Amino acid sequence: MPRSPLLTVLSVISAWAASAILASAVAREPSFSRDVRPVLAANCFQCHGPDDEARQADLRLDTIEGATADLGGRRAVTPGRPAASELIRRITSADDDERMPPPESGKTPLTPGEIDTLRWWIASGAAWERHWAFVPPRRPPVPATHERDWPRSPIDAFILAAHEGEGLAPSAEAGRMQLVRRVYLDLIGLPPTPDEADDFVADQRPDAYERLVDRLLASPRYGERWARLWLDLARYADTNGYEKDRPRSIWPYRDWVIRAINANMPYDRFSIEQLAGDMLPAPSVEQLIATGFHRNTMLNEEGGIDPLEYRFHAMVDRVATTGTVWLGLTTGCAQCHTHKYDPITQTDYYRLMALLDNADEPDLIVRDEEVAARRRRIEARIARLEEALPDRFPTPDAGEAEGATRRELFEAALSAWIEAERGRVVPWTVIRPRRMETNLPALEQLDDGSILSTGDVTKRDIYHLHFELDDAPGPVAAIRLEALPDERLPAGGPGRAYYEGRKGDFFLSEVRVRRDGQPVALASASHSYGKISIGSGNADAGNVLDGDGSTGWSTAGREGEAHQLVVNLAEPLPAAGELEIELLFERHFAASLGRFRLSVTSSPSARASELPVELEKLLAENPASLSESARSRLRRHFLRVSPELADARKEIDALRRKLPDWPTTLIMQERPPGNPRATHRRHRGEYLQPREEVTPGIPAFLGELPGGAPANRLTFARWLVSDDNPLVGRVTANRAWRAFFGRGILRTSGDFGTQSGTPSHPELLDWLARELVDGRWSLKRLHRQIVTSATYRQDSRVTTQLLERDPENRQLARAPRFRIDAEVVRDALLAASGMLSAHVGGPGVRPPQPGIVTALAYGNPSWRASKGESRYRRSIYTFAKRTAPFAAYLVFDGPSGELCTARRDRSNTPLQALTLLNDGMFLELARALARAAIERERSAPERATFIFRRCLTRPPDPVELEALLEFRAAQLARLERGELDVKAVCGGENGSSPELAAWVMIARTIFNLDETITRP
């Protein structure tokens, strides 16, 4: 039958429509990485992903092999055949018993769009791609755009190409006042002064803006601004955290970060020195300081804890931080089980931990030149006063005597003292152990016969030392233990306690002696000095013989000095057989000896002496044969102990107390090859469930460490910043982008895994990553490229069309406006008030804040606000207490320093407005700004303009100026009526007046404007 014309037309239309639909489907063919994996990861991987223990139905959907595997005649994915794919049947099923995800999972059913995406993907052959972030970035070609005049750099070409694809157009360039304020806040974290802003506006050279950028990049303030962002990642704080949260000294690390950033240290070197600077050839002090990055972990000092357990928790933090900073992965998920979304097995996790686990954690004394100069001045005064001490030796009568007579008396007293001390000296012989055993610490024999303890410590350490009595010169009647200082120990030792307030302390609970395996009776004990650091009881030497582990001998308060304990035997031992000495260190905190030496004597009357051992040896010599050098050493000691000179020494003692301590900082130090630390996989992530030992290595999906190189922290650090790590360039570039635009190209700055979503501009992210790496890892170069782009220079005004088309500004068709960081809020107002200190570096300082902030912390610590210039230091130098963060920063979403922070929250709360209006610190700055306005300007309009511009950079428009003047008049009227207390507004300062108070109110009001704390 012939077809009618109408049917023919309909047939043609139908065929055209079908072909159009097919063409549309082809054009919309989904990318596995961009479209398909996110659907599977969000809905399926939790039960059908990498985790063997959590996997259901023996089905894996995170690999193509698993997705297409034959499971009893069925396949989840049959390439090219959606209808034959069990995955499609299950996600479209109406039966709750079959539908996936199951209702009990709490996940919502897939949307029609997600189902279509999976259908199309299977229909097109189910092509599988590696997650985009795990593929090394390649430099993409710079896209061509229709608009040729707008782009200033390749960055702009990528942004404009996206605009043109979305039917958007970029905004016009920001005004010069807006732009100068923006780039100042972004690059140095401070606003420009009005003069600086006016100079830029007046500079009509074509490269005026680029010149300005270069000046800011060269400013020392640049390092302070960008170091603060890095310290968020480093979880920097000036206290240990947890309950007691005592202070720690690690500020030299913070200052190192500032110096490194100002010097534009390449990011690869910047990373390597922080992760493994101690393992570089002949590491410098600076490189050792840099390793403080991973010493920023919290430290628990509570009495009931197992120090090794909390060391494990610190390692968990270090692995998580390393994963966030250099891999952009949530590695912590694999602590307890194989990662449910990313290809990181639990074994991978502990192999990663093993790379970081083989380090000890000493303190480093930093020989700061400023401190050294102060010490030299005081020590020179002490030396002069000590030299004159013999001339102050008392005479037997009240009359004055000649200096020579006093010196003669002194020399006679010195000779008498030497003779008396000689009579008390007994001969001691150092004994060296043939064998040493401990529960955990490693003991090393040093050349001088002393023993150094290294490695891990516990709350109950036992040293077993075995000697051959044949080495003794005669019968053994007493044993001497010398507790010796050592710079390698906390606070110089002699103990290994590493807690703040107890550093360098030890607690010797018991001393036991055996001969040929049989107990030896001990009669008595004596010490040169003894004190318990905390708690009740005494430090009498006899405590080490009482069989009670809760009592003992300690030398708290005199760290960095040598001390003696002498134990007398009930009966002398003949010089034959094996002597075993057992030292038990048992306390509620780890407190074993760090360096010590053992000696024996045949004298049954031996007692501990306060005299240094080196001087005892000199006294044992014939006085007639003493060299002048030896006698001089004895003379110096006598000057310090002579009771006749006690009053004369008071001035010297006072000066010694003024000697500034050397700064210290916390560092990492790789263990020696002979004493490696074993790392075990922990079942379910629990410290108390160690399983098999693991070898150091990186997650298998990322490959292997370079062949031939040792699998250690240094090799790992070098790998992290190599081309073999596909993540580091993207992660680092994305962080920089976020700092300038308020959000990253990938929104989840700390997570580039399969749950992260897709970048808004993936090709731009890869281009930036390659630019960073190929540009010799220069962050300053990357920052310059970003801030000189046309994208960055856009106006930030929001049009109705832009708000409707792109409410989150993902396409960057305008510049973003967002509240500045907490520290920048304070720094900007410090600068506006003229009070900002330019001093760089040094220990943390304490700006004013309410005392209640710290009063509720452990021990009710006081917060004594710093005086003078220190009160107005930049916020990066504010003392950071983890359990009581500085209140004004916390209000504006500043971090606590407890965890690595890759992305700060940015809130907008009434408390922020109240803080700017009423916090005493900001009131003080408002008063300073008001005084400056009165001192520098004569008329009210000039003063109002002065305050306005110091805070907002731009001049006020006529309407704003009129409003300010009306507000001032209203405040003056209130002050005159007594509704406001002039002195209260002015801070009770001299010179308080209604005029000053009115301008203080103006300054407070401008401080409280959104524009004041918003990046334009």
Side-chain angles (χ1 to χ4, degrees):
M1 179 178 178
R3 303 177 70 182
S4 71
L6 178 59
L7 289 175
T8 302
V9 171
L10 290 175
S11 177
V12 170
I13 292 174
S14 177
W16 173 84
S19 64
I21 292 171
L22 179 61
S24 174
V26 171
R28 295 172 61 192
E29 180 176 315
S31 156
F32 180 80
S33 287
R34 185 187 65 241
D35 304 312
V36 177
R37 182 183 274 111
V39 175
L40 296 175
N43 297 282
C44 310
F45 284 4
Q46 183 171 351
C47 299
H48 304 293
D51 189 351
D52 293 335
E53 293 186 13
R55 192 175 304 127
Q56 301 292 314
D58 200 27
L59 170 64
R60 286 191 71 166
L61 290 175
D62 64 311
T63 67
I64 189 60
E65 295 81 10
T68 58
D70 186 342
L71 300 174
R74 294 180 299 175
R75 287 180 170 83
V77 172
T78 303
R81 300 174 60 195
S85 299
E86 186 72 9
L87 173 64
I88 299 301
R89 189 179 77 81
R90 289 300 190 99
I91 63 176
T92 58
S93 175
D95 186 343
D96 284 349
D97 292 335
E98 287 196 335
R99 178 168 59 84
M100 292 291 160
E104 62 268 19
S105 70
K107 296 181 180 294
T108 57
L110 271 63
T111 66
E114 291 172 331
I115 293 172
D116 285 346
T117 294
L118 295 179
R119 274 202 183 101
W120 287 334
W121 168 61
I122 294 174
S124 63
W128 198 275
E129 300 170 358
R130 201 176 188 198
H131 178 52
W132 64 268
F134 302 156
V135 177
R138 298 183 182 276
R139 183 183 291 272
V142 177
T145 59
H146 297 298
E147 168 63 51
R148 301 291 182 87
D149 295 333
W150 185 74
R152 293 176 177 270
S153 74
I155 290 174
D156 303 322
F158 287 104
I159 296 295
L160 185 58
H163 287 175
E164 293 177 346
E166 296 286 336
L168 296 171
S171 297
E173 185 169 307
R176 290 172 78 85
M177 276 292 177
Q178 182 186 20
L179 190 57
V180 68
R181 180 175 174 84
R182 178 189 303 168
V183 75
Y184 261 79
L185 289 172
D186 281 349
L187 288 182
I188 66 171
L190 297 170
T193 65
D195 288 344
E196 289 169 335
D198 291 343
D199 288 345
F200 170 67
V201 171
D203 190 345
Q204 298 302 311
R205 288 174 293 184
D207 62 345
Y209 179 71
E210 287 75 10
R211 288 170 177 265
L212 172 65
V213 168
D214 289 338
R215 287 197 300 274
L216 295 177
L217 291 171
S219 167
R221 308 283 84 81
Y222 169 83
E224 293 172 322
R225 157 65 178 156
W226 288 89
R228 179 58 264 178
L229 301 181
W230 182 260
L231 295 182
D232 282 10
L233 298 169
R235 60 267 191 251
Y236 175 86
D238 296 298
T239 59
N240 288 331
Y242 292 112
E243 178 204 28
K244 293 180 174 58
D245 197 27
R246 290 192 177 102
R248 62 168 51 165
S249 176
I250 196 171
W251 59 263
Y253 165 76
R254 176 246 289 148
D255 290 357
W256 178 89
V257 174
I258 295 171
R259 290 192 298 272
I261 292 175
N262 273 331
N264 197 25
M265 180 182 288
Y267 185 72
D268 57 346
R269 179 181 155 202
F270 181 73
S271 301
I272 291 168
E273 292 195 3
Q274 291 185 80
L275 288 170
D278 58 302
M279 299 178 70
L280 295 171
S284 65
V285 171
E286 289 282 288
Q287 289 168 333
L288 293 175
I289 292 172
T291 64
F293 176 85
H294 269 324
R295 290 299 309 279
N296 280 305
T297 47
M298 295 197 295
L299 175 65
N300 195 331
E301 300 177 88
E302 295 176 44
I305 62 107
D306 178 348
L308 295 183
E309 179 182 3
Y310 275 85
R311 187 187 182 282
F312 170 73
H313 295 323
M315 291 307 308
V316 168
D317 170 73
R318 289 169 187 169
V319 174
T321 298
T322 302
T324 297
V325 175
W326 286 279
L327 296 173
L329 295 176
T330 55
T331 55
C333 294
Q335 175 191 346
C336 305
H337 50 74
T338 290
H339 205 298
K340 293 186 183 299
Y341 302 104
D342 295 330
I344 306 174
T345 68
Q346 193 186 26
T347 297
D348 283 338
Y349 176 87
Y350 286 99
R351 294 189 72 209
L352 195 60
M353 180 181 286
L355 288 166
L356 302 171
D357 199 18
N358 195 42
D360 289 326
E361 303 178 2
D363 293 3
L364 176 71
I365 296 174
V366 182
R367 303 290 179 180
D368 180 77
E369 182 51 41
E370 182 179 338
V371 172
R374 290 164 56 199
R375 289 182 67 92
R376 284 194 296 268
R377 289 193 296 270
I378 295 174
E379 286 168 347
R381 290 180 60 192
I382 290 174
R384 289 193 297 270
L385 290 171
E386 283 189 335
E387 182 63 30
L389 277 178
D391 294 325
R392 302 180 64 183
F393 200 82
T395 57
D397 53 48
E400 289 296 322
E402 295 295 326
T405 303
R406 291 181 183 270
R407 282 191 173 268
E408 289 174 355
L409 291 170
F410 169 77
E411 291 296 335
L414 171 61
S415 297
W417 174 79
I418 291 174
E419 191 61 31
E421 290 296 325
R422 282 189 73 247
R424 286 190 281 268
V425 169
V426 299
W428 290 97
T429 300
V430 173
I431 52 175
R432 297 173 181 263
R434 300 290 181 91
R435 190 169 81 255
M436 297 183 287
E437 301 161 355
T438 72
N439 58 306
L440 189 62
L443 299 181
E444 176 188 358
Q445 183 83 59
L446 303 183
D447 291 341
D448 65 352
S450 65
I451 298 165
L452 181 68
S453 170
T454 58
D456 294 329
V457 291
T458 74
K459 295 191 293 184
R460 191 178 191 276
D461 288 334
I462 305 177
Y463 297 172
H464 294 279
L465 309 166
H466 300 267
F467 306 86
E468 293 295 333
L469 279 171
D470 302 45
D471 298 337
V476 174
I479 301 170
R480 181 176 68 184
L481 170 67
E482 296 174 65
L484 301 172
D486 193 291
E487 281 197 354
R488 291 168 287 190
L489 300 172
R496 296 195 59 193
Y498 52 85
Y499 301 114
E500 294 296 336
R502 301 171 184 167
K503 282 192 174 183
D505 192 13
F506 68 90
F507 189 85
L508 178 60
S509 301
E510 292 292 311
V511 175
R512 301 185 182 101
V513 180
R514 295 182 182 87
R515 177 175 179 269
D516 293 335
Q518 298 302 311
V520 173
L522 306 177
S524 61
S526 58
H527 63 245
S528 56
Y529 168 77
K531 185 180 179 183
I532 300 294
S533 62
I534 190 169
S536 60
N538 58 55
D540 186 83
N543 292 342
V544 303
L545 310 180
D546 63 4
D548 183 353
S550 65
T551 65
W553 176 56
S554 170
T555 60
R558 290 192 183 178
E559 287 73 35
E561 300 178 15
H563 307 283
Q564 295 181 18
L565 175 80
V566 172
V567 175
N568 302 91
L569 279 56
E571 296 291 338
L573 296 177
E578 182 186 70
L579 178 69
E580 179 187 351
I581 299 176
E582 177 186 291
L583 306 177
L584 170 64
F585 305 93
E586 188 171 35
R587 195 63 167 159
H588 61 276
F589 59 94
S592 52
L593 262 173
R595 186 177 177 188
F596 60 97
R597 184 166 50 208
L598 289 157
S599 306
V600 296
T601 184
S602 298
S603 173
S605 60
R607 299 278 299 170
S609 171
E610 293 187 11
L611 200 65
V613 170
E614 293 74 15
L615 296 187
E616 286 186 343
K617 293 177 181 178
L618 295 179
L619 290 169
E621 299 177 12
N622 187 333
S625 64
L626 279 176
S627 66
E628 184 54 38
S629 172
R631 189 172 178 85
S632 177
R633 291 174 63 189
L634 291 168
R635 179 186 293 108
R636 285 198 299 273
H637 182 78
F638 180 63
L639 286 171
R640 297 182 181 184
V641 300
S642 167
E644 294 89 348
L645 291 172
D647 289 339
R649 284 195 302 268
K650 288 181 178 178
E651 184 179 0
I652 295 173
D653 294 339
L655 283 172
R656 282 206 175 91
R657 288 191 292 271
K658 291 181 180 179
L659 279 170
D661 293 331
W662 291 109
T664 61
T665 194
L666 310 180
I667 66 168
M668 306 282 279
Q669 186 172 53
E670 191 72 356
R671 285 186 157 204
N675 185 31
R677 180 184 284 114
T679 304
H680 296 83
R681 182 181 67 82
R682 307 277 173 167
H683 183 57
R684 299 186 181 276
E686 294 182 6
Y687 169 73
L688 294 176
Q689 295 198 54
R691 293 297 190 264
E692 72 277 5
E693 185 176 345
V694 299
T695 58
I698 59 175
F701 83 97
L702 290 172
E704 297 180 352
L705 292 173
N712 60 23
R713 194 160 32 96
L714 179 59
T715 301
F716 176 49
R718 287 170 170 162
W719 175 85
L720 280 172
V721 288
S722 72
D723 280 342
D724 292 331
N725 177 8
L727 291 152
V728 63
R730 290 189 182 107
V731 172
T732 308
N734 192 65
R735 265 200 311 267
W737 190 267
R738 176 179 175 78
F740 289 110
F741 292 98
R743 62 182 296 161
I745 296 172
L746 182 70
R747 187 166 190 172
T748 51
S749 297
D751 184 6
F752 276 60
T754 58
Q755 293 287 92
S756 62
T758 56
S760 59
H761 300 80
E763 293 82 9
L764 174 58
L765 182 58
D766 281 2
W767 185 87
L768 290 169
R770 290 314 316 172
E771 274 293 295
L772 174 62
V773 176
D774 298 341
R776 298 183 178 180
W777 291 99
S778 170
L779 287 173
K780 277 192 178 183
R781 179 176 179 270
L782 179 66
H783 294 171
R784 190 182 193 280
Q785 287 175 305
I786 292 173
V787 300
T788 55
S789 68
T791 303
Y792 177 85
R793 300 192 208 188
Q794 292 178 99
D795 190 77
S796 61
R797 281 177 292 187
V798 184
T799 66
T800 303
Q801 181 187 15
L802 283 177
L803 190 60
E804 182 179 332
R805 294 285 304 278
D806 186 14
E808 294 185 348
N809 196 29
R810 285 177 62 85
Q811 296 301 323
L812 290 174
R814 60 178 172 85
R817 295 179 76 249
F818 49 85
R819 200 209 68 229
I820 55 182
D821 289 340
E823 296 84 357
V824 181
V825 170
R826 175 173 174 267
D827 291 346
L829 297 182
L830 277 169
S833 69
M835 301 300 291
L836 178 65
S837 165
H839 184 73
V840 175
V845 296
R846 290 171 168 81
Q849 74 168 344
I852 191 63
V853 174
T854 56
L856 297 179
Y858 178 89
N860 187 21
S862 62
W863 180 273
R864 295 183 180 178
S866 300
K867 303 293 185 182
E869 183 187 27
S870 295
R871 191 180 185 92
Y872 310 108
R873 305 267 326 266
R874 270 199 89 160
S875 299
I876 192 173
Y877 303 115
T878 299
F879 184 86
K881 184 173 179 62
R882 283 185 163 109
T883 56
F886 191 69
Y889 304 158
L890 203 61
V891 165
F892 288 98
D893 308 308
S896 68
E898 293 171 291
L899 297 170
C900 172
T901 303
R903 182 180 68 183
R904 291 191 186 189
D905 293 328
R906 188 171 280 118
S907 65
N908 186 358
T909 69
L911 185 57
Q912 294 169 357
L914 291 170
T915 298
L916 288 171
L917 193 64
N918 298 317
D919 187 286
M921 174 179 66
F922 291 122
L923 279 173
E924 184 178 345
L925 300 183
R927 292 163 184 148
L929 180 55
R931 286 196 304 274
I934 291 174
E935 291 169 1
R936 299 188 186 188
E937 306 294 346
R938 293 186 176 181
S939 70
E942 289 172 333
R943 290 172 179 173
T945 300
F946 176 87
I947 294 174
F948 189 94
R949 294 206 64 190
R950 290 295 291 262
C951 295
L952 302 181
T953 305
R954 66 177 177 85
D957 63 33
V959 174
E960 291 169 329
L961 183 57
E962 182 180 354
L964 288 173
L965 295 177
E966 289 177 356
F967 181 77
R968 169 182 171 270
Q971 300 312 306
L972 279 173
R974 294 180 66 198
L975 289 160
E976 290 170 358
R977 291 194 300 268
E979 295 176 12
L980 294 174
D981 187 304
V982 172
K983 286 190 175 181
V985 173
C986 297
E989 302 167 1
N990 293 331
S992 297
S993 67
E995 178 72 6
L996 175 60
W999 290 114
V1000 170
M1001 299 295 288
I1002 291 282
R1004 291 175 66 191
T1005 302
I1006 295 177
F1007 279 10
N1008 210 22
L1009 295 177
D1010 281 347
E1011 187 177 349
T1012 302
I1013 60 170
T1014 300
R1015 180 251 202 205

